[in-house]
Amino acid sequence: MLLQLDFKSETPIYTQIRNQIVMGIASGALAQNEKLPAIRALASDIGVNMMTVNKAYQLLKQEGYIEADRRSGAVVLTSPEGTGGAPSLDPKSQNALKLIISEAKLAGYTSESFSKLCSDYFNDMERE
Amino acid sequence: MLLQLDFKSETPIYTQIRNQIVMGIASGALAQNEKLPAIRALASDIGVNMMTVNKAYQLLKQEGYIEADRRSGAVVLTSPEGTGGAPSLDPKSQNALKLIISEAKLAGYTSESFSKLCSDYFNDMERE
Amino acid sequence: MLLQLDFKSETPIYTQIRNQIVMGIASGALAQNEKLPAIRALASDIGVNMMTVNKAYQLLKQEGYIEADRRSGAVVLTSPEGTGGAPSLDPKSQNALKLIISEAKLAGYTSESFSKLCSDYFNDMERE
Amino acid sequence: MLLQLDFKSETPIYTQIRNQIVMGIASGALAQNEKLPAIRALASDIGVNMMTVNKAYQLLKQEGYIEADRRSGAVVLTSPEGTGGAPSLDPKSQNALKLIISEAKLAGYTSESFSKLCSDYFNDMERE
DNA sequence: GTGGTCTAGACCACC
DNA sequence: GTGGTCTAGACCACG
């Protein structure tokens, strides 16, 4: 699991860390119940202030992606994939998705070609 | 065409304006070649400073969604929808989409149910 | 002699008219002593306010490119091409040239390749 | 690196700042990877509002001359001078160059004397 | 009437 | 400390 940060990006670094970890979990690069690196270690690894990593971890905790374990630091939570209930997307992400779909439509995508694109991304993740 | 802004949001107001206009164009609420409201008019309409609206318009110009005419303000550009070439999505939007798909997967979506969600959004736009 | 205006450009229309006429004279499209179209005629031709054309003509007069003739409107002045003295470039244009050369250098041009580019433009004009 | 602004000029201050920095990079006065002054510092230095400097910096970023690093402000980008591919000039600059060449021709320059002028400017930059 | 530019001062997020 | 955002009001160029 390697984090790739872009210090020139306008998205805050702690958000980038959070995003990469979420994508890592989804792709399986980070297994369920796997232990995340210690804040201090990760911070020095990627050359970033500890506060920044801490902020990312707290975000992830708050969103239910990871859990703080007294003994072993942070661990990836078992995702409720098979809960049975209808899956629901965070409202913010829903809005972001609507925006992306608008852009895609104006860029020439049809409903079908866009769905195709999404499926591709979905399947790419499985294999990584 | 009514703009709905959230002044408490952490996404800058000028970005919100830009997003709403993009979605407005995609949904047809803003017709091609339609004249956009004057910067100052829109600014006072939504209770925001002129500079803020200006920034949003410049973003849209730069991205090719609208065009400024010296004589009559800004107009919606005719989108090159049928250019024939493969449609392409902005790299930033691609990354955002990948992130959303990761979140969706962890929230329990399958590739199919997610594609369904996208199609629904796509079609909703047509009707508005 | 056809004027091509870009109403979306950020350079004022009267400047565009002035520039096109200067380039027209240099390329020979407008001959020395040739009569320029009447303000009113040109204005309606290119779909522009008379004031705008007037402003362009006054600029050209002031810079010594054309002359107002009571009887026949404006005519192209005989350029002092063979005056013998060292040619001199307008200070503003000198600065603009320095800036362009800076940009060209950063874009990878060498002194030689840039001179080549200039010669090409110079010669292109002769033929038009 | 000293900026010389003309507050009476009709070219916007932010453009003047942008131009001076571009010329500074080309002349070597600003070294590659050198850190640019902080927006607020430069602004108070040259007696100008922060927003004005900000606008200049954003232009430069957008054009690829400088880069913003989240941690340490803006730095001069390593220019891709030896990329091998044919160097290309911005279309706007090309048009500006054509116009200047037209003016030069009418002022009595020959293709050769103009090329000489350009070489001189090119070489002057190296030494500064 | 339109957009473009600029100012002086403020608040906030990030690192 | 840094940059990003926003405001309220002003002046000017363009058409």
Side-chain angles (χ1 to χ4, degrees), chain C residues 25-47:
Chain C
I25 300 175
S27 75
L30 284 170
Q32 315 260 328
N33 295 317
E34 181 170 342
K35 187 177 169 307
L36 287 176
I39 290 184
R40 180 172 309 233
L42 181 54
S44 84
D45 248 36
I46 56 185

Side-chain angles (χ1 to χ4, degrees), chain B residues 3-20:
Chain B
L3 297 190
Q4 293 183 339
L5 304 181
D6 175 8
F7 292 95
K8 285 169 270 167
S9 164
E10 54 182 17
T11 64
I13 298 179
Y14 74 89
T15 304
Q16 293 184 44
I17 297 175
R18 177 261 179 203
N19 290 348
Q20 301 252 337

Side-chain angles (χ1 to χ4, degrees), chain C residues 28-112:
Chain C
L30 284 170
Q32 315 260 328
N33 295 317
E34 181 170 342
K35 187 177 169 307
L36 287 176
I39 290 184
R40 180 172 309 233
L42 181 54
S44 84
D45 248 36
I46 56 185
V48 151
N49 195 304
M50 272 176 50
M51 303 286 289
T52 308
V53 177
N54 187 37
K55 207 164 178 176
Y57 276 27
Q58 286 198 314
L59 236 187
L60 289 162
K61 261 180 247 172
Q62 191 182 314
E63 296 176 309
Y65 287 113
I66 68 174
E67 200 177 34
D69 185 313
R70 277 209 163 257
R71 291 168 307 175
S72 51
V75 296
V76 177
L77 259 186
T78 311
S79 76
E81 222 166 320
T83 329
S88 81
L89 205 53
D90 176 60
K92 278 186 191 173
S93 299
Q94 279 185 40
N95 286 330
L97 181 55
K98 283 180 191 170
L99 178 59
I100 291 174
I101 289 179
S102 292
E103 291 176 349
K105 195 182 170 192
L106 292 176
Y109 279 93
T110 62
S111 181
E112 289 73 27

Side-chain angles (χ1 to χ4, degrees), chain A residues 57-121:
Chain A
Y57 276 27
Q58 286 196 314
L59 237 186
L60 288 161
K61 260 179 250 172
Q62 190 183 315
E63 296 176 310
Y65 288 113
I66 68 175
E67 200 176 35
D69 186 312
R70 278 210 161 256
R71 292 166 306 173
S72 50
V75 295
V76 177
L77 261 185
T78 310
S79 76
E81 223 166 320
T83 328
S88 81
L89 205 52
D90 175 60
K92 280 186 190 173
S93 299
Q94 279 186 40
N95 286 330
L97 181 55
K98 283 180 190 170
L99 178 60
I100 291 173
I101 288 178
S102 292
E103 291 176 349
K105 193 181 171 196
L106 292 176
Y109 279 91
T110 61
S111 181
E112 290 74 26
S113 62
F114 186 77
S115 283
K116 175 73 168 50
L117 178 71
C118 290
S119 308
D120 287 350
Y121 282 152

Side-chain angles (χ1 to χ4, degrees), chain A residues 7-13, chain D residues 61 67-71 77:
Chain A
F7 292 100
K8 302 158 233 157
S9 162
E10 54 183 17
T11 60
I13 296 182
Chain D
K61 254 182 260 175
E67 211 171 47
D69 188 307
R70 283 207 153 259
R71 297 163 301 180
L77 252 188

Side-chain angles (χ1 to χ4, degrees), chain B residues 12-14 40 48-49 51-52 55 70-71:
Chain B
I13 298 179
Y14 74 89
R40 282 162 174 80
V48 149
N49 188 282
M51 302 282 285
T52 307
K55 204 162 180 177
R70 284 207 153 262
R71 297 164 302 182

Side-chain angles (χ1 to χ4, degrees), chain D residues 20-109:
Chain D
Q20 301 252 337
I21 291 181
V22 169
M23 294 192 285
I25 299 175
S27 77
L30 284 171
Q32 314 254 328
N33 294 317
E34 182 170 339
K35 189 180 171 309
L36 288 175
I39 289 185
R40 283 161 172 80
L42 182 54
S44 83
D45 252 33
I46 58 186
V48 148
N49 188 283
M50 192 201 71
M51 302 282 285
T52 308
V53 176
N54 187 29
K55 205 163 178 178
Y57 275 28
Q58 286 198 314
L59 244 184
L60 289 162
K61 254 182 260 175
Q62 190 183 315
E63 297 177 308
Y65 288 115
I66 69 174
E67 211 171 47
D69 188 307
R70 283 207 153 259
R71 297 163 301 180
S72 56
V75 295
V76 177
L77 252 188
T78 310
S79 77
E81 222 166 322
T83 328
S88 80
L89 205 53
D90 176 66
K92 280 184 191 172
S93 300
Q94 280 185 38
N95 287 329
L97 181 54
K98 283 179 190 170
L99 178 61
I100 291 174
I101 288 179
S102 292
E103 291 176 350
K105 194 181 171 197
L106 293 176
Y109 279 92

